[in-house]
Amino acid sequence: MKQYLANVQGVDGYLIFSMIVFMSFFIGLLFWVLKADKKYIDKMKNIPLN
Amino acid sequence: MQIEKFNYDNKIVRDFALATLIFGVVGMLVGLLAAIQLYEPAANLGNQYTSFGRIRPLHTNAIIFAFVGNAIFMGIYYSLQRLCKARMFSDVLSRIHFWGWQLIIALAAVSLLLGYTTGKEYAELEWPIDIMIALVWVTFGINMIGTIVKRREKQMYVAIWFYIATLVTVAVLHIVNSLELPISLTKSYSIYAGVQDALVQWWYGHNAVAFFLTTPFLGMMYYFLPKAAGRPVYSYKLSILHFWSLIFLYIWAGPHHLLYSSLPDWAQSLGVAFSIMLIAPSWGGMVNGLLTLRGAWDKVRDEPILKMFAVGITAYGMATFEGPLLSLKNVNAIAHFIDWIVGHVHVGALGWNGLLTFAIIYWIIPRIYNTTIYSKKLMNVHFWLATLGIVFYAIPMYWSGFTQGLMWKEFTPEGTLQYPEFLKITLKILPLHMLRSFGGALYLSGFLVLIYNVVKTIRQGKLVANEAAEAPAIEKSMGHGSEFWHAILERKPITFTVLAILVIVVGGAVELIPTFTIKSNIPTIASVKPYTPLELQGRDIYQREGCNTCHTQWIRPFRSETERYMGEYSKAGEFVYDHPFLWGSKRTGPDLMRIGGKYPDSWHYHHMIDPRTMSPGSIMPQYSWLAEQDLDISTTPKKLKAMKTLGVPYTEYEIDNGNVSLKVQADAITANLKKEGIVMESQKELVAVIAYLQRMGTDIKKQTTASN
């Protein structure tokens, strides 16, 4: 099947792009979540119970 | 701060709850009938409307869109109003949404039984109903976003993010997968062909599981579980992490439904990689749910609602562990097409969707009727019937799945198949199928106990149609300097929605675009020609009768398969004229890819009239009506023309003379049958079906030269 793809330009690009997009998205997300303010998090947590 | 008074609309919640109960019974009864048909062919009731090929899509549609669908709307309409501290945006839209959805269900039930189907799993409904679904979904969307916009709670709680993701993704999936060219009100052809159609379908199919059966339920879990347990969710940070990762990753994983098919390898690998990664956010949700109950396990002992949540969330954990496991290529080699998959999806449906739905119904009904539940004891009875039902369902399916999967692949020391006769393997697993239907019956009986309990509860209370509430108006000032970014996002529903769309579109686009660009590069096989008019009509009947629910057209590149099905494995180039693809996903019967030319026409005739005359013990339904009904040839030119529009190279001459060549081919088949002493008129539907079956997979055998 690989030979079909040899004809398609930029398929490698798609694969690498997908991984880069996800990893940077996830690392950014993780960074910000860890930095989040505890008071805010506690407030959000309790919304359904209010 | 000004306190505003308003009312929650409980009537719409009640209406969706009642619809959930009604369609739950219907969907489960039809499922039970289908389960019995798989060991007792007489349960097909000898007519076309109730044969397995039509009953099975009715069951899946009834459960997914009618039972679970109504349960989702019930849960969202209840929780969204309270999380936003606002009444639904518009009562009129709520009513249009409710009645529109029930109308769609009614039309779906009738049309599926009549055999109107696109042949695509979980997307079987024909184009007019597809348009209605889109319109009703938009109504729901306006109502939901409208409510969020006019909310009195500044921040959007995690449940709402899941609802938004559900809303936008289901819309995108539904539209892309339903693009079809209408022939008439009841018939259309998918605009995609073969491999592309398969990829789009399983991108849809997989994400229908994700965004219809998973995300709305995670949202509801995040609202109703803390409510029922009386404590906040275990980790809000985890919920942010797993929400974004889940919606990001899910959308890429569809190709794991097509491993070892003629889908390009890179797409298969992409699907596997993202499927394995998916376990992390899925388990993030499970862990967050179960740990919310930490320190409250004593309550779980006494409170059946919490028991249902605990078992339901555990079932979610099991199903999402199995998913990545099943998408490993070496596991998939055995697991695909077998009963394990049926067990897997039912752990999800009966455990996760079912038990959570029951827990939410038990939570909501007494509250909107301002009373207490009629009987807690009956709730416990229900809990045990449902749990045992799942056990009696899943274990026989795993057992039977492994039995058939291994028997299909077993070779003798001499190198021939140990069990060359497919039917022998099928007969071996029938006792397990009987046990499975017992499990299903247990589960259904538990549901009937719920209905009794709910009816009694409703009788002892009175509906609070408009529940008074009050909350301070939302403050206009927003944010101060260095604020947590997600907090900002949680105040901006439109931005949030756009971002969620972006996240799912990236995955969808990366998966789909390369396959569309390789259209011209799918290796064409010179000897693969378009179907003749009669074969095309026969193929449409094959699709109408749902033959593809039990038979695959997809021989994988394994010796055990090329040996069993006596031919080459399936090539991408063989499907270029298939609108839609009919690869199937389950081998209840043998693969039919190379059935063409394997048996004489007369064998097919007898086999369709009564399969047991040719294959004693077969569980296939009889299709005797095909020999009685006349083929509708008035559609032939339209069908050929539509195919031409979609890129199938029929000439004008072929289109204009479609019915002439159809008649010639049909006469040849009936003449053939006559030699074997069978008298049949050439205009009968069965002749077209035989023509299609005899053509299937034969072109490649005529191959002399192939390009690429």
Side-chain angles (χ1 to χ4, degrees):
Chain A
M1 292 292 160
K2 275 183 186 118
Q3 72 272 19
Y4 310 159
L5 287 172
N7 300 326
V8 190
Q9 289 191 340
V11 157
D12 284 352
Y14 275 110
L15 297 180
I16 295 164
F17 170 75
S18 63
M19 282 300 168
I20 291 174
V21 169
F22 178 68
M23 290 324 285
S24 42
F25 177 79
F26 186 78
I27 291 166
L29 189 66
L30 193 69
F31 178 72
W32 280 105
V33 165
L34 292 177
K35 256 185 64 176
D37 173 26
K38 197 173 175 316
K39 263 203 309 215
Y40 158 76
I41 292 287
D42 278 343
K43 192 185 127 205
M44 288 304 295
K45 255 185 167 180
N46 284 300
I47 286 182
L49 301 175
N50 293 333
Chain B
M1 203 181 294
Q2 194 197 341
I3 301 287
E4 294 180 340
K5 288 187 190 305
F6 55 95
N7 293 305
Y8 292 132
D9 182 359
N10 281 342
K11 189 171 173 296
I12 189 71
V13 177
R14 192 273 313 265
D15 292 349
F16 276 119
L18 293 183
T20 307
L21 300 185
I22 293 167
F23 292 120
V25 174
V26 175
M28 289 181 212
L29 268 177
V30 175
L32 188 57
L33 176 64
I36 294 171
Q37 288 173 341
L38 286 179
Y39 55 84
E40 183 46 71
N44 286 284
L45 310 175
N47 74 81
Q48 55 192 319
Y49 308 107
T50 48
S51 66
F52 184 82
R54 298 194 191 181
I55 284 292
R56 196 266 181 178
L58 180 66
H59 164 60
T60 51
N61 277 277
I63 289 298
I64 299 173
F65 301 109
F67 169 62
V68 173
N70 277 308
I72 292 169
F73 301 136
M74 164 190 74
I76 292 183
Y77 275 83
Y78 184 89
S79 58
L80 185 70
Q81 296 187 77
R82 282 145 183 95
L83 286 169
C84 290
K85 294 205 169 63
R87 191 184 176 86
M88 287 307 295
F89 174 63
S90 155
D91 285 5
V92 175
L93 291 184
S94 299
R95 301 289 169 255
I96 294 176
H97 175 197
F98 177 78
W99 288 109
W101 197 255
Q102 311 317 318
L103 177 64
I104 288 167
I105 292 169
L107 290 174
V110 174
S111 67
L112 288 173
L113 290 180
L114 289 174
Y116 304 144
T117 169
T118 63
K120 294 175 121 185
E121 268 182 270
Y122 322 122
E124 287 92 348
L125 303 176
E126 269 299 350
W127 67 273
I129 307 182
D130 281 344
I131 293 174
M132 286 178 65
I133 293 173
L135 294 176
V136 172
W137 198 257
V138 169
T139 310
F140 165 54
I142 297 171
N143 210 10
M144 186 167 127
I145 299 290
T147 310
I148 298 173
V149 168
K150 69 166 202 179
R151 72 198 183 281
R152 295 184 181 82
E153 174 63 61
K154 205 157 67 172
Q155 307 297 121
M156 290 191 299
Y157 179 67
V158 48
I160 300 178
W161 322 337
F162 278 104
Y163 299 160
I164 292 176
T166 303
L167 173 73
V168 297
T169 316
V170 169
V172 172
L173 294 168
H174 173 67
I175 292 169
V176 174
N177 192 41
S178 301
L179 294 177
E180 49 220 9
L181 187 63
I183 311 294
S184 67
L185 261 183
T186 56
K187 174 78 193 159
S188 64
Y189 289 128
S190 170
I191 64 159
Y192 315 104
V195 175
Q196 282 172 5
D197 198 35
L199 183 67
V200 174
Q201 157 61 23
W202 285 111
W203 169 77
Y204 163 88
H206 180 72
N207 289 299
V209 174
F211 290 88
F212 207 85
L213 302 175
T214 306
T215 52
F217 277 81
L218 283 168
M220 293 195 285
M221 175 190 90
Y222 276 116
Y223 177 79
F224 289 100
L225 181 60
K227 278 290 204 197
R231 53 183 52 235
V233 59
Y234 168 66
S235 165
Y236 198 77
K237 290 184 179 181
L238 180 57
S239 70
I240 298 178
L241 265 184
H242 101 96
F243 169 77
W244 287 106
S245 312
L246 191 86
I247 69 164
F248 195 107
L249 292 178
Y250 240 122
I251 207 88
W252 306 69
H256 69 210
H257 289 258
L258 298 167
L259 299 182
Y260 295 111
S261 72
S262 38
L263 187 74
D265 272 357
W266 69 269
Q268 297 189 27
S269 306
L270 193 73
V272 172
F274 278 87
S275 303
I276 294 165
M277 281 152 73
L278 247 181
I279 197 170
S282 301
W283 276 36
M286 174 192 69
V287 164
N288 222 357
L290 288 180
L291 289 184
T292 299
L293 292 169
R294 84 202 180 290
W297 287 100
D298 53 318
K299 279 193 195 169
V300 178
R301 241 194 337 258
D302 306 325
E303 180 49 66
I305 289 183
L306 291 182
K307 279 188 212 173
M308 289 178 182
F309 268 115
V311 175
I313 295 168
T314 308
Y316 173 61
M318 272 177 62
T320 52
F321 173 69
E322 271 180 283
L325 191 66
L326 284 163
S327 66
L328 294 173
K329 276 191 123 174
N330 49 355
V331 178
N332 194 277
I334 294 178
H336 208 168
F337 306 134
I338 65 173
D339 286 338
W340 182 4
I341 308 301
V342 183
H344 163 66
V345 297
H346 281 83
V347 166
L350 303 173
W352 167 243
N353 299 116
L355 285 176
L356 256 66
T357 298
F358 305 151
I360 293 167
I361 290 175
Y362 284 127
W363 167 266
I364 287 179
I365 294 295
R367 279 167 181 79
I368 62 176
Y369 276 86
N370 195 22
T371 180
T372 51
I373 193 80
Y374 168 71
S375 163
K376 211 168 178 177
K377 201 169 166 187
L378 284 180
M379 283 167 79
N380 272 314
V381 171
H382 178 200
F383 168 75
W384 282 109
L385 284 172
T387 305
L388 286 174
I390 297 170
V391 172
F392 274 102
Y393 193 109
I395 293 176
M397 284 290 97
Y398 293 138
W399 190 349
S400 114
F402 282 113
T403 307
Q404 64 184 166
L406 294 173
M407 285 174 86
W408 286 347
K409 283 187 171 295
E410 196 164 328
F411 280 95
T412 60
E414 291 75 34
T416 55
L417 284 170
Q418 177 83 46
Y419 305 99
E421 216 185 318
F422 189 94
L423 184 57
K424 207 170 172 181
I425 305 172
T426 306
L427 294 177
K428 185 116 187 148
I429 58 174
L430 289 192
L432 294 163
H433 278 232
M434 294 174 192
L435 209 54
R436 175 269 288 267
S437 61
F438 171 69
L442 270 186
Y443 193 87
L444 173 59
S445 63
F447 190 60
L448 295 176
V449 172
L450 172 140
I451 291 179
Y452 176 75
N453 208 354
V454 165
V455 169
K456 283 287 195 187
T457 307
I458 287 177
R459 288 224 172 124
Q460 74 188 14
K462 189 172 182 314
L463 178 69
V464 186
N466 296 298
E467 185 183 328
E470 53 181 39
I474 204 163
E475 283 177 70
K476 284 278 174 255
S477 68
M478 299 249 183
H480 314 277
S482 65
E483 202 181 6
F484 181 46
W485 67 282
H486 212 266
I488 301 168
L489 210 52
E490 282 161 1
R491 283 201 310 267
K492 297 188 184 304
I494 307 293
T495 319
F496 189 99
T497 306
V498 171
L499 197 65
I501 294 176
L502 263 183
V503 167
I504 60 124
V505 164
V506 169
V510 174
E511 197 183 294
L512 297 180
I513 290 173
T515 314
F516 290 138
T517 59
I518 65 169
K519 180 165 188 167
S520 52
N521 293 301
I522 285 180
T524 47
I525 300 170
S527 57
V528 173
K529 299 277 184 257
Y531 296 107
T532 66
L534 186 66
E535 290 157 6
L536 186 65
Q537 292 281 15
R539 188 173 196 272
D540 286 345
I541 295 170
Y542 181 98
Q543 183 184 328
R544 182 188 81 193
E545 299 305 334
C547 304
N548 51 315
T549 49
C550 290
H551 296 281
T552 51
Q553 293 183 21
W554 168 0
I555 299 174
R556 299 180 294 172
F558 299 127
R559 195 164 71 89
S560 60
E561 299 206 356
T562 50
E563 195 86 349
R564 178 177 302 282
Y565 300 115
M566 292 185 260
E568 290 186 58
Y569 65 86
S570 307
K571 312 282 191 301
E574 292 184 86
F575 303 104
V576 289
Y577 304 128
D578 285 11
H579 296 271
F581 82 115
L582 291 173
W583 293 1
S585 63
K586 173 79 172 57
R587 275 187 196 146
T588 303
D591 189 282
L592 298 182
M593 180 85 202
R594 306 278 175 225
I595 191 80
K598 189 177 173 188
Y599 301 109
D601 292 351
S602 58
W603 187 93
H604 286 295
Y605 173 85
H606 291 300
H607 188 250
M608 298 300 275
I609 300 292
D610 182 2
R612 278 149 293 281
T613 54
M614 294 288 107
S615 317
S618 166
I619 53 167
M620 181 168 136
Q622 58 179 60
Y623 287 90
S624 50
W625 60 85
L626 295 179
E628 291 152 19
Q629 286 173 183
D630 284 349
L631 183 68
D632 177 10
I633 57 166
S634 67
T635 52
T636 311
K638 267 197 222 162
K639 286 182 173 179
L640 293 172
K641 215 176 272 174
M643 283 293 179
K644 187 164 193 273
T645 312
L646 295 172
V648 180
Y650 289 117
T651 60
E652 288 301 326
Y653 179 82
E654 283 171 324
I655 293 173
D656 294 341
N657 294 282
N659 278 329
V660 178
S661 62
L662 181 145
K663 181 96 178 55
V664 171
Q665 193 182 4
D667 287 343
I669 291 173
T670 43
N672 222 347
L673 289 172
K674 203 166 181 190
K675 278 189 232 153
E676 308 271 344
I678 300 163
V679 180
M680 189 166 61
E681 295 158 80
S682 59
Q683 75 271 24
K684 298 299 175 194
E685 289 185 332
L686 187 50
V687 177
V689 173
I690 293 175
Y692 174 58
L693 290 172
Q694 295 291 35
R695 170 70 183 275
M696 222 189 277
T698 53
D699 282 7
I700 200 166
K701 295 176 187 164
K702 298 173 202 144
Q703 189 175 3
T704 44
T705 51
S707 63
N708 266 18

